[in-house]
Amino acid sequence: MTSKLERLLAGGTVAWDRALVTDGLSPEAVAQITAVTPAAPDKTWVVIDHDAPAGSVAVAEQQKALLDWARRAGTVFRSGRGIGYALLLEAGLTQGEIVLSGGSHAAAVGAAGAVGLSLPPAELARALERGQVSLPPAPLLRLAVTGTLSPYLSVRDLAWTLIRSGLCRGKAVAIHAPQLTPAQAMDLCGLLGAAGAVTAFCAEADAPADETVDLSALRPMAVLPGDAGQTVPASGTDGLRVNQVFIGGCGGGSLEALRETAALWRGRTVCPYVRVMVAPATSAVYVQALEEGLMDVFLDAGALVMNQGCSACWAQSQGRCDQAEVFVSTGSINCAGWAGKAHNGICLTSVRRAAQAALSGSLYES
């Protein structure tokens, strides 16, 4: 762990290395942030990724405000190229970099060993203007991950097991898990950060672990509607009839997630009574999936292939549901009203279970 990170976790003030501002922020947050001039515009990324293309005039106005601010300030600007966290990782982050964001999944950049911090709007605006950030003291949890995942388990089962235990809440989690792929690490870190960890990041084993988790001892898990804390054994959702399935977002939009889905769907057809959506995380993933013929598999199976970005994980204009419908998602958000004003039926699952639910029309453990 770097001395810079040690100072930050001890409650000190340090210079940040990257900052990410997206259209996922509230109008009030956008107003606060665009009122300041970033101290390091070349390290500030403004990304339109949540509601892209814009689903309403109000959203278009907010995105225009971000675009105008990015132009005035001279920041990096990306629109329609994919999920901001994934774009940062594709652009190259290094171990120990401090990355600021207003999004709840900022810790996703921990896949590269960077330290993603989710800040309230006023704090993010202040940090952008000053070029520095400080935190209340945060305890460090060194977590060692051993063993290997079976084909019927995913890194989400690890994340949800940890979330259910409460072990990571309020802590900065340094994860030693060299067996995980970058996409798996991104999903794990992002989910832990969104569920109450101060941050989560992949690190070398430079000290004895405080806790150890064996991947081979995990059981399949799922998250019921409400929030990230509603984790249950996946058997608790067995037989649940499904109306909509989304494979995309930080957890389902990676190339390896799309490959896993295509392997299950090749030569088969999704249930005709289920709305099935697939969205790559970034343009680079989209192009590679095209080259590998994965998009052909999705279209032949009867799924709707959507543009790169947060897509129906955001569910504010795409993928909305009727009040009583069950929405199975590989995204990261399952709060009430997210996919419709009166809707409270988003279940979060692994890519494999979501892909199988798309075929059968029902949710099962494996």
Side-chain angles (χ1 to χ4, degrees), residues 325-352:
E325 290 187 312
V326 174
F327 176 9
V328 169
S329 174
T330 64
S332 308
I333 304 174
N334 64 323
C335 55
W338 198 249
K341 185 174 181 180
H343 183 257
N344 186 26
I346 302 177
C347 296
L348 304 182
T349 69
S350 67
V351 170
R352 182 184 183 89

Side-chain angles (χ1 to χ4, degrees), residues 23 46-52 63 66 77-82:
D23 60 324
V46 179
V47 178
I48 306 300
D49 60 358
H50 280 65
D51 205 344
Q63 292 178 354
L66 288 170
F77 181 76
R78 298 286 185 269
S79 179
R81 300 192 192 182

Side-chain angles (χ1 to χ4, degrees), residues 8 14 16 18 29 48 72 75 100 106 109 152 155 159 161 207 214 224 236 243 268 283-284 307 362 366:
L8 180 64
V14 301
W16 50 265
R18 311 278 183 108
I48 306 300
R72 289 195 311 271
T75 73
L100 309 185
V109 299
Y152 299 98
V155 75
T161 298
D214 182 3
L224 298 177
N243 303 101
R268 306 172 74 181
S283 297
N307 58 286
S362 298
S366 61

